[in-house]
Amino acid sequence: MPTVTVSPGGTATTTLTVRNDGDIVEAYTLEVVGDCAAWSTVEPARVSLYPGTSETVTLTFAPPRSHEVRAGETPLAVRVLPAEHPESVVVPEGTVTVEPFHELRTELEPRRRRGWLGARFRTAVQNKGNTPIDVAFTGKQAGEELRLGFTPGQKQLEPGESAEIRLKVRAAKLIWFGEPVTWPFEVEAAEAVAAAGTASETTVGAAAGTTAGTAGAEAGGTKPVRPEPAPSDLLRPEPVPGEFLQLPVLPKWLLIVLAALLALLLAWFALVRPAVKSTAKQAATEAAQEEAARGGQQQGSPTPGGPDSPGGNQGQGTGPDAPGTPGGNGGSGAGPGTGTGPGGTGAGGTEQSSATIDVETNAGIEGVGTYKVPAGKVFGITDIVVANFQGDEGVLTISFGERKITTIALETFRNQDYHWVTPIQVPENATVTAAVTCAKPGTPATGTQASGCHQVINVSGVLSDLAR
């Protein structure tokens, strides 16, 4: 039989003539066998012939438009089986050519993604045609804001084969501030253009016969048949749309927060900080004024040497310059030490009192100044103020009677004060002693280095009568 050409999804027909060359009536059963049997039919499938007669049957081929029916030549065979003489079966053969068709199915997953600069997509493609094809992937966008890259960029697919292609979408530049921007794009899977399927007009003749005694069979006449036209091949699938939502690096809410922080910072420098500095400065000024007033009050108290002081002239002593004075002992070393007795006012045998001890000594020598508590009195000491106004270097030791209160390095201070909530009681005839060891005289405000060390110690508290 000659070759028959048919397009997938279409039909093609041909004829086959069966003649009985025998001498008896014979019934013939016709059946298409081989790979094309699933989509081929014979009409009529059974014929009965008198001796010497013939009949033409029609073969119809209708391959489905599917990747399962491969393009190319498919063997064709028709089995003609006599009912009375089955051993005389005849199988004429031919070829059916299935034309190629191209069809691609493309999907983009997901259709929409978001990111700061880029995102990744998956492009799934399947060859629904019946012939191998090379598929090239391309992407397009209305502007030039995106770059689209496929990995791999080209893929060969067998009929029915599927593949997944990675798509990377990248924006040309970052969006630092503002609203998110949506960039639409399209993905297209292109293939080589194939010729559209056409139906061919084919005339096929087939002969079949049985012999009964001397009977024979021969091919009968053929009849040309035009197959139904097949639908047009799909050369290029529709582009698949996708979207990339580009997010700003700094979201809108972050800008609001930064603006609020900046406003708070400006408010701090413009309003709060000056107020804090002003309050701190005022507090420091008030504290300094209070300290100066208290120091002036202590320095302005009547000294025991005055005519109105109850202990007048009893607390004054001048080391070697006044050895017989009951107020104190002279300073040992090169410089004298003097102490002025308590003075102040009070009622009921109790009075506020202060005493000043002035110690002068030369370098390398120890000087001692004392204040002696008057007889019949107890001195409750609450405050001590030490002045190193020259900036001398050395050691100062303060003692109440036999009790050492503190030892201070002179170079560590210019003015130093001590305060006690509970007064330190110094009994009658006991001494408050300030011992100065001069290492190096300092330089006072005049700018000329002093010849010796000079310290002034003020002791204040409550001077009360001794209970008898």
Side-chain angles (χ1 to χ4, degrees), residues 45-190:
R46 182 181 176 86
V47 295
S48 296
L49 298 176
Y50 288 100
T53 60
S54 62
E55 184 173 348
T56 299
V57 297
T58 301
L59 300 177
T60 302
F61 307 100
R65 190 178 178 84
S66 170
H67 60 83
E68 296 179 353
V69 180
R70 299 291 293 265
E73 295 184 349
T74 303
L76 168 65
V78 181
R79 181 170 58 194
V80 182
L81 179 63
E84 297 297 331
H85 300 282
E87 70 279 0
S88 300
V89 61
V90 177
V91 183
E93 297 181 353
T95 301
V96 177
T97 300
V98 179
E99 292 185 334
F101 77 95
H102 301 272
E103 181 178 346
L104 283 175
R105 177 175 296 175
T106 307
E107 294 181 359
L108 183 65
E109 298 178 358
R111 288 294 183 94
R112 178 185 175 93
R113 275 202 166 174
R114 62 177 62 191
W116 288 331
L117 190 59
R120 296 181 184 273
F121 296 80
R122 297 188 307 275
T123 304
V125 61
Q126 182 182 13
N127 181 10
K128 303 289 288 185
N130 64 350
T131 183
I133 57 172
D134 287 327
V135 183
F137 301 92
T138 57
K140 56 183 180 179
Q141 190 228 353
E144 298 181 354
E145 294 82 6
L146 297 181
R147 294 194 297 270
L148 289 82
F150 296 86
T151 306
Q154 187 170 344
K155 180 75 173 178
Q156 185 177 30
L157 299 177
E158 295 294 324
E161 183 181 1
S162 300
E164 188 173 277
I165 308 301
R166 295 186 298 276
L167 168 61
K168 184 177 181 180
V169 177
R170 186 177 179 87
K173 59 182 180 180
L174 286 169
I175 299 177
W176 291 100
F177 305 98
E179 298 291 336
V181 179
T182 300
W183 302 113
F185 62 91
E186 291 183 345
V187 174
E188 186 179 66

Side-chain angles (χ1 to χ4, degrees), residues 366-384:
E366 182 182 49
V368 179
T370 61
Y371 161 71
K372 184 176 182 180
V373 180
K377 299 289 186 177
V378 175
F379 195 13
I381 298 177
T382 57
D383 303 280
I384 295 180

